Amino acid sequence: MTPPVVKLNSGHEMPLVGFGLWKVDNDTCADQVYNAIKSGYRLFDGACDYGNEPECGQGVARAIKEGIVQRSDLFIVSKLWNSFHDQERVEPICKRQLQDWQIDCFDLYIVHFPISLKYVDPSVRYPPGFAYEGDEVVPGKATIQETWKAMEALVDRGLAKSIGISNFNGQLILDLLRYATVVPATLQIEHHPYLTQEGLVKLARDHGIAVTAYSSFGPQSFLELDMPQAKDAPLLLDHPTITRIAEKRGKTPAQVLLRWATQREVAVIPKSNNPGRLAQNLDVTGWDLEAAEVKEISGLNRGLRFNDPIHVSNARHASNSARKLRQAYFH
């Protein structure tokens, strides 16, 4: 099963359904990527901060070596972490990430957050994580404009076919568009029925920027991080509205949540290590929800955000470990 594609403003095509690599364990990551490719996945969404890019590259290399796919069949996404926003740091870290993936060019390279943190040399710690030393968070000095110009240079040098942004709000997007010579191809945001962000999605589309959703199942991804707001929110997978529609359609609640996004041309990047669920998560484009069902699901919106970078301002005083902070607040 091959998912449909979205035509990006860069001229390239991006699959509407991909495989997300956040919180995929290093011990199983290579096999998960390999098995996902065998199941039909072609887009893989990674990041420096996920700490598993070498293993991702191993899974990709194995699938290519066995002739399951060619490199041109795949759409590989990675992200620039906050510690590498200085103009002179962008290209070297991108090249390192490409080496980890065992490829020559990213299909899409994204600014992970509109936040600059103080540089940490990879020889000291990699990935550097949220904190500079201990639990202390030290802001960097790079502006978004400086970082974006370095991102544009990656396209010119053939290191990325498309570039994009993640976790940007509308104001930052409008500001970026004032000086960008390469318009972001995609915007990746937290997006689920508890956080529909309809205005932001419309703004991106009005400017030709495709939207990708992460955390499509809402609180589910954040329970293991002991986030109070995730524990207090009813699970979307168990929500009566979602389960009723799933039963009516003969689909799983997860499929309904993913189809709610893809039917509105929002790309999704779920993950699973279960072969059955891998197939189910791909089957979220060949059938439709009724307009009333889409509206009913959208009506669950609470403005409830789980991945909130505003907590950066308080992080230097937090008692959790740097790893816990990074996991809790940065996707």
Side-chain angles (χ1 to χ4, degrees):
M1 180 183 301
T2 302
V5 297
V6 177
K7 188 67 173 286
L8 303 179
N9 60 28
S10 60
H12 299 284
E13 293 182 339
M14 180 182 76
L16 193 60
V17 182
F19 189 92
L21 294 159
W22 182 47
K23 297 193 302 177
V24 175
D25 291 340
N26 297 77
D27 292 343
T28 61
C29 184
D31 286 340
Q32 283 189 253
V33 169
Y34 171 79
N35 289 328
I37 291 173
K38 288 183 67 176
S39 297
Y41 287 83
R42 295 297 179 260
L43 184 152
F44 291 86
D45 182 83
C48 157
D49 191 54
Y50 300 167
N52 54 16
E53 291 193 297
E55 292 80 8
C56 295
Q58 293 166 17
V60 167
R62 178 183 170 192
I64 292 174
K65 182 179 180 180
E66 294 183 7
I68 299 172
V69 290
Q70 300 179 12
R71 169 64 184 96
S72 58
D73 297 324
L74 301 176
F75 193 97
I76 305 298
V77 183
S78 191
K79 304 180 187 73
L80 176 76
W81 182 242
N82 307 343
S83 306
F84 305 108
H85 276 211
D86 298 295
Q87 188 169 13
E88 69 274 15
R89 309 294 185 189
V90 174
E91 183 175 334
I93 200 62
C94 178
K95 287 181 174 178
R96 167 160 183 161
Q97 292 175 258
L98 287 168
Q99 184 177 18
D100 286 343
W101 276 93
Q102 302 183 45
I103 59 177
D104 298 323
C105 175
F106 285 120
D107 295 281
L108 175 63
Y109 194 60
I110 295 172
V111 178
H112 204 150
F113 271 93
I115 298 171
S116 173
L117 296 178
K118 187 174 181 179
Y119 174 69
V120 176
D121 192 292
S123 66
V124 174
R125 186 174 68 251
Y126 188 84
F130 185 172
Y132 178 70
E133 189 173 332
D135 282 347
E136 184 183 17
V137 176
V138 181
K141 296 183 178 180
T143 64
I144 296 173
Q145 182 172 4
E146 174 186 342
T147 303
W148 190 251
K149 290 303 177 184
M151 293 286 288
E152 292 177 334
L154 298 179
V155 178
D156 294 337
R157 292 167 188 162
L159 299 176
K161 294 180 180 179
S162 302
I163 52 176
I165 52 179
S166 181
N167 299 301
F168 277 55
N169 62 24
Q171 295 91 327
L172 288 175
I173 293 172
L174 291 174
D175 184 66
L176 185 152
L177 291 174
R178 291 172 57 233
Y179 51 76
T181 56
V182 177
V183 175
T186 67
L187 167 67
Q188 189 173 124
I189 55 172
E190 180 180 346
H191 180 75
H192 46 74
Y194 286 159
L195 184 68
T196 59
Q197 303 207 73
E198 294 174 8
L200 183 58
V201 171
K202 182 179 186 303
L203 174 69
R205 287 179 172 159
D206 287 347
H207 291 280
I209 303 171
V211 177
T212 298
Y214 67 74
S215 298
S216 293
F217 304 143
Q220 188 75 31
S221 298
F222 298 90
L223 287 175
E224 66 191 74
L225 304 179
D226 295 325
M227 295 184 68
Q229 57 266 53
K231 291 181 177 181
D232 294 342
L235 292 180
L236 281 168
L237 293 172
D238 296 333
H239 196 286
T241 297
I242 306 301
T243 56
R244 171 172 48 78
I245 294 173
E247 183 176 356
K248 176 183 176 182
R249 295 287 167 191
K251 301 293 182 181
T252 67
Q255 286 177 304
V256 169
L257 290 169
L258 294 172
R259 186 54 181 149
W260 170 77
T262 61
Q263 190 165 321
R264 294 159 42 248
E265 296 187 345
V266 173
V268 293
I269 44 174
K271 72 173 183 287
S272 178
N273 200 28
N274 180 287
R277 285 196 292 271
L278 278 174
Q280 290 171 357
N281 288 347
L282 268 183
D283 181 22
V284 292
T285 58
W287 51 279
D288 287 336
L289 297 167
E290 295 176 359
E293 292 171 331
V294 172
K295 183 177 180 180
E296 185 178 9
I297 294 171
S298 297
L300 300 177
N301 182 43
R302 300 178 172 196
L304 182 56
R305 186 186 307 275
F306 300 104
N307 189 33
D308 191 349
I310 196 66
H311 290 282
V312 165
S313 61
N314 301 319
R316 67 181 68 212
H317 304 297
S319 59
N320 291 342
S321 68
R323 177 174 175 81
K324 188 99 168 184
L325 287 166
R326 173 175 59 81
Q327 287 181 326
Y329 300 124
F330 289 86
H331 184 288

